[in-house]
Every structure is written in structure tokens, then in C-alpha cells.
Amino acid sequence: MDAGVPAYRRRREMATATSGAGRCRLSKVGAGRRPPPARVRVAVRLRPFVDGTAGENDTPCVRGLDSCSLEIANWRNHQETLKYQFDAFYGERSSQQDIYAGSVQPILRHLLEGQNASVLAYGPTGAGKTHTMLGSPEQPGVIPRALMDLLQLTREEGAEGRPWALSVTMSYLEIYQEKVLDLLEPSSGDLVIREDCRGNILIPGLTQKPITSFADFERHFLPASRNRTVGATRLNQRSSRSHAVLLVKVDQRERLAPFRQREGKLYLIDLAGSEDNRRTGNKGLRLKESGAINSSLFVLGKVVDALNQGLPRVPYRDSKLTRLLQDSLGGSAHSILIANIAPERRFYLDTVSALNFAARSKEVINRPFTNESLQLHVLAPVKLSQKELLGPSEAKRARGSEEEEIGSPEPPAAPASASQKLSPLQKLSSMDPAMLERLLSLDRLLGSQGSQGTPLLSTPRRERMVLMKTVEEKDLEIERLKMKQKELEAKVLAQEAADPKEKENYSPTMLRPLARRTVTVAKPLKKAVVMPLQLIQEQAASPNAEIHILKKKGRKRKLESLDASEPEEKAEDCWELQISPELLAHGRQKILDLLNEGSARDLRSLQRIGQKKAQLIVGWRELHGPFSQVEDLERVEGISGKQMESFLKANILGLAAGQRCGPS
Ligand code: ADP
Ligand code: MG
């Protein structure tokens, strides 16, 4: 009997378990490929009897069948056994290297693709979780082996001359009684777990130490491990009372355009024991601890069940552990669960429950994706690249105290020609950021249009050719713009020289190039020069009046407006103005001056001259030279001879009123 696994799932598992997907070696990966959904992989490790754990006449209750399956006695029916099948089964004689190479090493490569990976050790206290994850100096476990390989891989992939610069950081935390504690900075207290807009789980304030060598890692990890909360129970002399989470982040920054950045997270988790609280003999604080541990593992079980059943709500938030593992279970990580089991009969019930949990976990489907974005400050990494372009000794000087702090070893020396090969980078670094941004968007556009799958700028040779061509075009465009700017500035200066007054009134937005535009607060309009009837009558009544107004009642006349396209006919009282010849001549001259020297804005102060007409006048003046008389206006398109008389009168009246009212 194959316990807890339906037949249709068993068939599927047989196919996947024998595919050998987990046996490949660490290798360089192709960028940008989006892998298909990945099932959580589950391995079971059976530890041997260890000194002091075996009772007299103790025989193992679990037996391995092959590299993927095992059987355990069925306590309900002694005639049969319960059979389980997993992605891998590691028996009592398996070595640390077997487990690492078979189940952990294959997922590390995804970190360099900007994807997440998780390794979780699950099982009852004393079953070998810490041995599997940490091991001993003689038998190092998953953590030291993974760190060693990952650092080696990032050194190779991030070496000078390679397209990506890589950096590795580590954080180490424990979840103890539903508190997230920073083991690298124990004084930080309980930290909060958050989720960013892209669904990434993060812990603000968690210490991150850069590491470039295994010695760096040990320097931070070993003292932090001593900070772990451990206690003694009857089951295990050094029982872990907390979930220990080592987080290793691999950050990649592309050295050339389009300057992508990727982040891959690796969680290495040594879970606290899944044993039944009643059998540990725990009391007081230990009982409380056990309760907290088991409740978070209980939620872990609920999360796995919700994912398997496709429930709309997955209770990740019900415990700190599951919230942190949200990425790893049903999330974006390539995950491997190592269920540790013990052979002793007294572990029987805990072993069955661990195996059942493991069987449910292997049905969980994750959807790993590449965490990729564009580097926010595109120029910063270019500067970094420049630093890296220096020779090894110069680079060391440039790194200075930063390197001393982390005590990293000398990176492998680059070939002498590396800096020459990458010389176009130096040009890019001095490029105008706006232009660089346009180049990047051009690249993105071409990338989105091309169906080749390979972005235009992804190969150095083509990239350089395209960049050079685009830079040339942009240079030409800049030259053209500069010439135009000079022309415009010369024009402005000439105009200002011709009339200093114009300088004040001249609208800078008219001719000056875009870059020099300034935003000005709108000034209040000058006082309107259209006089109310009452004022006109008062003026007419004044003894020195130069203007006489005659009222002609009930006459039908055409109202003409310079701005109106169609004259309209109205029967109404009409007013006829009689203006003294002196005022008329004076007014004419003033209008003429305005026509010849006024800006478009000045011209708009004339009655019946709107924006459009003002611009026409300015344009006409530029083409034909100054107006010799006001009547020349008739030659400006749209101002007919008929309108001239009323135009003159209205404006002479307006100017006279403006004088009387004083400067506005
Ligand atoms: P857990 O972390 O699950 O509580 P440990 O890793 O502390 O369990 O293991 C309990 C004991 O069993 C330790 O003394 C450990 O050295 C030993 N042990 C566990 N697994 C193995 C193994 N595969 N081979 C040899 N000894 C092991
Ligand atoms: Mg342990």
C-alpha cells in the first residue's frame, strides 16, 4: 500500500521521480528563460541509529526500497507496510555529499537566473535536521557546501570581463515563539515580515552581511549560530527550539546596457522539531515553546493542504514561519523539502506524521520567475564597472576600506586586455543620462518588436555597433539643435538691440529654445480700455474735451469687428464719435508706433486686436518691414478697409482714456 498518495498522483510521481532532473551539475545558465511551473521536490533522509538513541533489541521501523521509495510498518495492520514514494530517498548509509549533490546542488543554479530557491529540513527532534543542514567539521552539511559552491560560482560568473557583476550577502534569523530575531544583530528585537508590490517577502531591518569568501561566511555565521536558542529535552541533548533561517542573496548587475539587475534568494532552513508535544516530557517554558513550534508547523501543514486543494485562501499569514515561506511554498521558489526521519521504534508516530506531511508537500506547485528589473540609477553600476576596469592593484586601492572591512580575498586577476575590450563603457559613463535613457528605451522597443528572443543589445559586438550608430545619430541631432538654438538666440539679441523696451516686453517663450523656457506667473491684465458709456458721456461733458459723442437713435447699422468673421446687423441706438484732428493725429502716430515696435502682447492691448491678429501683424512686419501708416494694416490679411475707421476711433479713444486714467 502506498500511504496517503492517490493512484493518479503516484503515476505522475513515478514519471517525474525517475527523470533525473535533480542530478545535473552546477553550470552557467542561459538568461531570461522563464521556466515552467516547478513542483516542490521532496527527499526523505533516514538517519542511522546513533549512540545512545537505540534501545536494547531496537530494530528499525523504516526500510528503504530504492532511491525514491521506502516502507514503514503499518501500526493498524501488522500484516502490511505503508509505502511512500518521493523524489529521492537517502538511507542510513547515505553521505552528506549524496544528499547535497543529489537534491540541493541542482537548484542553486537558479539563483544566478535571478530566481529563488529554498531548502527546508523537516522532521521530529533528533531525526537529523541539523546534521543534514549544518553537519559537523568532519561531515559538513548542506549549508557549508551550498555556500562554498555558490561563492565559487558567483566568483566565476562575476569575474571581470563577464557581463554581470555579482555580489552575495547573508542574513541569519530565527523564529522563536513567533518572534523574528536577527541572529547577526540579536539586539534588534522582533522584526516584521513584509511583502513588496511584486509579492517578494522581505524583512526590513534585517542585517545583511556581504560575503565574498567562505571565510567571510564563517566569520559571521559561527558566532551567530551560538546566539541560537537551544535547550535540552528528553528527546535530544541539543534540541533546537526555534526555526533557523539562513538567507543568502545573490545580486546581479549587468555591466552593459540594458543594465538589468537580478536578485536570487536562497533560504536554507533548519526547522524546529515536528514531534508531538505530549511525548517530549516538556513542562513550563519548554511546553510553551513546543506549543509555539508546533502551532507554526501546524499552520505549515494547513498551508500545504490549502495549496493542494486549490483553496482561495492560503493561510500564510497565520504564522511567522509560513509568512516567511510564502515565497517557497506555492510561491516563486525552487523548493526542496528534506524530511528527516529516525529508525527507532519510539519515533514511529512522529515518523509517520513526518512522512505524511512530506507526501502532501510534494503536490505543491511553485511558479518560479526571474526577479529582474532595470537598475534604478543606471550610471552607478557604470561607475562600478569603471572601478572594475582598473587593474587588480588599482581596483584594490579603489575598494579601500570597504574591502578591508569584509576581509575578502583578491578577486581573480583579469587579462590585461579586459579594460581595452570594454572601452565603450567609458563612453557610456560620460553620456547624458537622458540620452542613455532614450537608448535604453530604444533597446527595449527593439526588444519588444523583435521575435528573436535575443535582445538587440545582449551580444557585445552587435551592442557596440548599435550603440555607436545611435550615439552618432544623437550627436548629429544635438549639433543640429545647438545650431538652431544659436540662431534663435542671435535673433533675440538683434531684436533686443533694436528696441531695448522690447527686451522688457518680449516674450521669451516665443523664440527661445525649449530648454530656456521659464514658467512665469501670469501678470494681472492692464486695466481695460473699453470705457463704459457713462464715462464717455462724462468725457463729452468736460470743458477740455477733444472728443464729442453724437447719438443717432434707431439707425440700422452693421457692427463690425476685426475679430468677428461675419459682421452682424443690428438695429439699435448708435453713437458717433467726433475726435479733434490733433487727437486724431496724435493717436494715429501712437498706433503706428505700436504697430511697428510693439510685441504681440502689446498689440493685443489695441482694441479689436486679438492673439491671432497680433501674430499676423508681427509676422507681416518681419516680412515687409515697418508700417508707414496705420492704413497699411489693410494689407495685413483679414483687416479690411471698411474696418479701418472704426478701428482708429476705438483705439484713439482707448489710448486717450488710458492717458487720462494714468499708467495702469
Ligand atoms: P535534529 O536537528 O533533527 O534535532 P540532529 O541533527 O541534532 O537532529 O541529530 C541528532 C543526533 O543524530 C546528532 O547527534 C547527530 O549527530 C546524529 N545524526 C543525525 N543524522 C545523522 C546521520 N545521518 N549520520 C550520523 N549521525 C547523525
Ligand atoms: Mg536540530
Short mmCIF file of all heavy atoms in Angstrom, two decimals, residues 124-131 228 230 236 238-242 270-273, ligand 2:
data_model
loop_
_atom_site.label_atom_id
_atom_site.label_comp_id
_atom_site.label_asym_id
_atom_site.label_seq_id
_atom_site.Cartn_x
_atom_site.Cartn_y
_atom_site.Cartn_z
N PRO A 124 11.00 15.24 13.13
CA PRO A 124 10.97 15.32 14.60
C PRO A 124 12.36 15.62 15.17
O PRO A 124 13.38 15.37 14.53
CB PRO A 124 10.48 13.94 15.03
CG PRO A 124 10.70 13.05 13.88
CD PRO A 124 10.71 13.89 12.64
N THR A 125 12.35 16.17 16.36
CA THR A 125 13.62 16.47 17.04
C THR A 125 14.44 15.19 17.19
O THR A 125 13.92 14.15 17.58
CB THR A 125 13.32 17.08 18.43
OG1 THR A 125 12.61 18.28 18.21
CG2 THR A 125 14.59 17.36 19.20
N GLY A 126 15.70 15.31 16.84
CA GLY A 126 16.60 14.17 16.97
C GLY A 126 16.67 13.31 15.71
O GLY A 126 17.40 12.33 15.66
N ALA A 127 15.94 13.69 14.66
CA ALA A 127 15.92 12.86 13.45
C ALA A 127 17.04 13.22 12.48
O ALA A 127 17.24 12.55 11.47
CB ALA A 127 14.56 12.98 12.76
N GLY A 128 17.76 14.33 12.74
CA GLY A 128 18.93 14.63 11.90
C GLY A 128 18.80 15.88 11.04
O GLY A 128 19.55 16.05 10.08
N LYS A 129 17.92 16.79 11.38
CA LYS A 129 17.76 18.03 10.58
C LYS A 129 19.03 18.88 10.61
O LYS A 129 19.54 19.29 9.59
CB LYS A 129 16.56 18.87 11.10
CG LYS A 129 15.22 18.18 10.99
CD LYS A 129 14.09 19.04 11.48
CE LYS A 129 14.20 19.40 12.97
NZ LYS A 129 14.11 18.24 13.88
N THR A 130 19.50 19.13 11.84
CA THR A 130 20.68 19.99 11.97
C THR A 130 21.90 19.30 11.38
O THR A 130 22.75 19.94 10.75
CB THR A 130 20.90 20.36 13.46
OG1 THR A 130 19.69 20.92 13.96
CG2 THR A 130 22.02 21.36 13.63
N HIS A 131 21.94 17.98 11.55
CA HIS A 131 23.06 17.24 10.94
C HIS A 131 23.03 17.41 9.42
O HIS A 131 24.05 17.63 8.79
CB HIS A 131 22.95 15.76 11.32
CG HIS A 131 24.03 14.92 10.74
ND1 HIS A 131 25.31 14.88 11.25
CD2 HIS A 131 24.04 14.12 9.64
CE1 HIS A 131 26.06 14.08 10.53
NE2 HIS A 131 25.31 13.60 9.54
N ARG A 228 21.79 31.13 18.71
CA ARG A 228 20.53 30.39 18.54
C ARG A 228 20.01 29.89 19.87
O ARG A 228 20.75 29.52 20.77
CB ARG A 228 20.74 29.19 17.62
CG ARG A 228 20.28 29.44 16.22
CD ARG A 228 20.10 28.15 15.50
NE ARG A 228 18.75 27.61 15.72
CZ ARG A 228 18.36 26.46 15.21
NH1 ARG A 228 19.18 25.72 14.52
NH2 ARG A 228 17.13 26.07 15.41
N VAL A 230 18.78 27.32 22.06
CA VAL A 230 18.71 25.86 22.15
C VAL A 230 18.47 25.45 23.60
O VAL A 230 18.79 26.18 24.53
CB VAL A 230 20.01 25.17 21.64
CG1 VAL A 230 20.16 25.33 20.14
CG2 VAL A 230 21.22 25.71 22.35
N ASN A 236 16.40 15.00 22.90
CA ASN A 236 17.67 15.36 22.25
C ASN A 236 18.46 16.27 23.17
O ASN A 236 17.92 17.21 23.74
CB ASN A 236 17.36 16.07 20.92
CG ASN A 236 18.60 16.17 20.06
OD1 ASN A 236 19.71 15.94 20.56
ND2 ASN A 236 18.42 16.52 18.82
N ARG A 238 20.68 18.45 22.38
CA ARG A 238 20.76 19.82 21.84
C ARG A 238 19.58 20.06 20.90
O ARG A 238 19.72 20.21 19.71
CB ARG A 238 22.08 20.02 21.08
CG ARG A 238 23.21 20.47 21.98
CD ARG A 238 24.46 20.63 21.14
NE ARG A 238 24.30 21.69 20.14
CZ ARG A 238 24.54 22.97 20.40
NH1 ARG A 238 24.94 23.34 21.59
NH2 ARG A 238 24.38 23.86 19.46
N SER A 239 18.44 20.06 21.50
CA SER A 239 17.24 20.20 20.68
C SER A 239 17.07 21.65 20.24
O SER A 239 17.11 22.56 21.05
CB SER A 239 16.03 19.76 21.48
OG SER A 239 14.87 20.16 20.82
N SER A 240 16.87 21.83 18.98
CA SER A 240 16.63 23.20 18.50
C SER A 240 15.19 23.58 18.83
O SER A 240 14.28 22.86 18.51
CB SER A 240 16.84 23.26 16.99
OG SER A 240 18.14 22.85 16.70
N ARG A 241 15.09 24.70 19.49
CA ARG A 241 13.76 25.14 19.90
C ARG A 241 13.20 26.21 18.96
O ARG A 241 12.17 26.79 19.24
CB ARG A 241 13.79 25.70 21.34
CG ARG A 241 14.48 24.84 22.33
CD ARG A 241 13.94 23.41 22.38
NE ARG A 241 12.51 23.35 22.56
CZ ARG A 241 11.74 22.32 22.21
NH1 ARG A 241 12.28 21.29 21.60
NH2 ARG A 241 10.47 22.33 22.45
N SER A 242 13.92 26.49 17.93
CA SER A 242 13.45 27.55 17.02
C SER A 242 13.68 27.13 15.58
O SER A 242 14.42 26.19 15.31
CB SER A 242 14.22 28.83 17.31
OG SER A 242 15.59 28.63 17.03
N ASP A 270 16.52 25.31 8.84
CA ASP A 270 16.55 24.18 9.77
C ASP A 270 15.34 24.36 10.69
O ASP A 270 15.37 25.17 11.61
CB ASP A 270 17.88 24.22 10.56
CG ASP A 270 18.02 23.06 11.53
OD1 ASP A 270 17.11 22.21 11.59
OD2 ASP A 270 19.05 23.02 12.24
N LEU A 271 14.28 23.62 10.36
CA LEU A 271 13.04 23.80 11.14
C LEU A 271 13.18 23.17 12.52
O LEU A 271 13.95 22.22 12.71
CB LEU A 271 11.88 23.15 10.40
CG LEU A 271 11.46 23.80 9.09
CD1 LEU A 271 10.52 22.89 8.31
CD2 LEU A 271 10.77 25.14 9.34
N ALA A 272 12.41 23.70 13.45
CA ALA A 272 12.38 23.08 14.78
C ALA A 272 11.60 21.77 14.68
O ALA A 272 10.91 21.52 13.68
CB ALA A 272 11.70 24.02 15.76
N GLY A 273 11.74 20.95 15.70
CA GLY A 273 11.19 19.58 15.65
C GLY A 273 9.68 19.53 15.48
O GLY A 273 8.94 20.33 16.04
MG MG B 2 18.33 20.43 15.29
#
